[in-house]
Amino acid sequence: MEQVQRGFVELYGTEPEGVWSAPGRVNLIGEHTDYNDGFVMPFALPHTAVAAVSRREDGVLRLHSADVEGGVVELRLDDLAPESDRNWTAYPAGVVWALREAGHAVTGADVHLASTVPSGAGLSSSAALEVVIALALNDLYELGLQRWQLARLCQRAENVYVGAPTGIMDQTASACCEEGHALFLDTRDLSQKQIPFDLAAEGMRLLVVDTQVKHAHSDGEYGKRRAGCERGAALLGVDALRDVPYDGLDDALAQLGDDEEAVRLVRHVVTEDERVERVVALLESGETRAIGPVLVAGHASLRDDFRISCPELDLVVDTALASGALGARMTGGGFGGSAIVLAEASEVDTISKAVEEAFAAAGFTAPRVFEAVPAAGARRLS
């Protein structure tokens, strides 16, 4: 925090009015269900985007990131327009645009940012960037918006301003998660339930394996999956795939006939919603180790039905399971990014070493492996 504060003073010549942080997230289970009105279960990471911010009254937004080469980027609020920016600045600028579009009197800001959320790793670095700006402006301009409302505005910024058709999970996780808990979120009505998730107390760990394969949501494949899901819902005559009951899945798939793509996408979403509910039930009944096979089933569905895995992600999962992991799956949007591994604490070193050796043997870039501990959501630091 102090480093970001000092950076702000060096850039702008005055102390910031405050410093805020917002975390990245790992999704325990519930992938590509959020834009289908379904269930998700993320938790916040200790890795955060931190922003020092002050208000301006002249309609100017000045942005600087310690993580990107280059000087301060200056934008006029009246010139902000959807899909006009293909740089990192689109995320904070998009939030300002979304707030103003919603009728909130934001008149400008000076911003200095730094983030420890790995970019392109499927850990929601963009959502952290959006939420930290939204929370700062909500506080500074006394907008009185609730956390879920900030998440909605951030999602609009990413969907419309950036042009990435993401669901609501990432922004809600960054804004609303609590330390030591996973967030059971119904993305239809945004109802939330904090589920205790303290693996260390039970002798387990959750590893994140960043494959170093970068992905980008706005490159088309994510959008194709979303459009395919919407087409499947239309063919079945429902508002969203959330409305297809798990016990009626066979009938729904039969109704789709030989539309192979629709069958695959619908099957993944409907079974994934059921997996989220199963994980919630297991955690609430204290059967934490039993979620391992559910994670594995989720990976198989993402790999075979949704077809968004890649050789590196599959190698993490296969190697971890062969080395004694309780469960493993890819997490995030897919086409790269990260996998999660549930393991006994005593097996962590063995599994980590096996994954690293497998990557080396395959000629892949060395992965980054770290422990994921459920952390706090966005907050004001000073």
Side-chain angles (χ1 to χ4, degrees), residues 166-180:
T166 54
I168 189 65
M169 172 180 66
D170 297 350
Q171 293 85 359
T172 305
S174 187
C176 301
C177 279
E178 293 181 5
E179 187 175 357

Side-chain angles (χ1 to χ4, degrees), residues 16 28 36 84 100 102 129 144 166 174-175 177 182 187 190 242 264 305-306 344 378:
L28 183 63
N36 290 293
S84 61
R100 283 164 55 86
L129 204 55
T166 54
S174 187
C177 279
T187 65
L190 296 189
R242 150 74 173 276
R264 288 190 291 99
D305 277 346
F306 230 65
E344 302 288 356

Side-chain angles (χ1 to χ4, degrees), residues 47-58:
H47 307 71
T48 58
V50 178
V53 185
S54 287
R55 288 168 291 183
R56 295 179 67 94
E57 298 178 359
D58 58 357

Side-chain angles (χ1 to χ4, degrees), residues 276-296:
V276 177
E277 293 186 292
R278 214 181 330 158
V279 167
V280 171
L282 288 168
L283 291 177
E284 290 188 324
S285 63
E287 299 174 77
T288 306
R289 283 173 175 80
I291 73 172
V294 188
L295 303 184
V296 177

Side-chain angles (χ1 to χ4, degrees), residues 8-174:
F8 185 97
V9 174
E10 290 170 11
L11 285 166
Y12 301 119
T14 61
E15 290 286 340
E17 291 187 79
V19 181
W20 290 260
S21 76
R25 65 96 189 98
V26 160
N27 194 22
L28 183 63
I29 191 76
E31 222 64 83
H32 289 267
T33 48
D34 59 347
Y35 54 78
N36 290 293
D37 281 2
F39 304 121
V40 294
M41 200 173 184
F43 62 88
L45 287 168
H47 307 71
T48 58
V50 178
V53 185
S54 287
R55 288 168 291 183
R56 295 179 67 94
E57 298 178 359
D58 58 357
V60 170
L61 175 64
R62 294 198 293 180
L63 300 168
H64 185 269
S65 170
D67 309 311
V68 181
E69 285 188 21
V72 173
V73 177
E74 186 169 309
L75 304 167
R76 291 206 60 79
L77 300 192
D78 290 343
D79 295 338
L80 299 180
E83 299 195 51
S84 61
D85 187 349
R86 293 298 177 194
N87 300 307
W88 70 270
T89 48
Y91 297 98
V95 171
V96 176
W97 171 85
L99 285 167
R100 283 164 55 86
E101 282 282 300
H104 301 292
V106 175
T107 55
D110 285 340
V111 177
H112 175 55
L113 290 151
S115 179
T116 57
V117 185
S119 176
L123 304 175
S124 295
S125 57
S126 59
L129 204 55
E130 293 156 358
V131 170
V132 75
I133 297 299
L135 184 62
L137 296 177
N138 187 51
D139 287 354
L140 289 175
Y141 283 98
E142 299 180 343
L143 303 179
L145 295 167
Q146 301 296 312
R147 294 298 181 97
W148 67 268
Q149 292 173 301
L150 294 177
R152 273 275 190 236
L153 284 164
C154 289
Q155 182 199 14
R156 178 165 166 74
E158 187 147 348
N159 288 174
V160 180
Y161 195 89
V162 177
T166 54
I168 189 65
M169 172 180 66
D170 297 350
Q171 293 85 359
T172 305
S174 187

Side-chain angles (χ1 to χ4, degrees), residues 257-310:
D258 59 1
D259 191 330
E260 186 258 352
E261 181 190 49
V263 166
R264 288 190 291 99
L265 297 179
V266 170
R267 183 166 54 214
H268 166 71
V269 173
V270 175
T271 59
E272 186 79 346
D273 273 335
E274 189 273 338
R275 281 187 284 273
V276 177
E277 293 186 292
R278 214 181 330 158
V279 167
V280 171
L282 288 168
L283 291 177
E284 290 188 324
S285 63
E287 299 174 77
T288 306
R289 283 173 175 80
I291 73 172
V294 188
L295 303 184
V296 177
H299 182 77
S301 183
L302 290 162
R303 180 192 64 211
D304 300 337
D305 277 346
F306 230 65
R307 299 187 179 177
I308 57 170
S309 190
C310 66

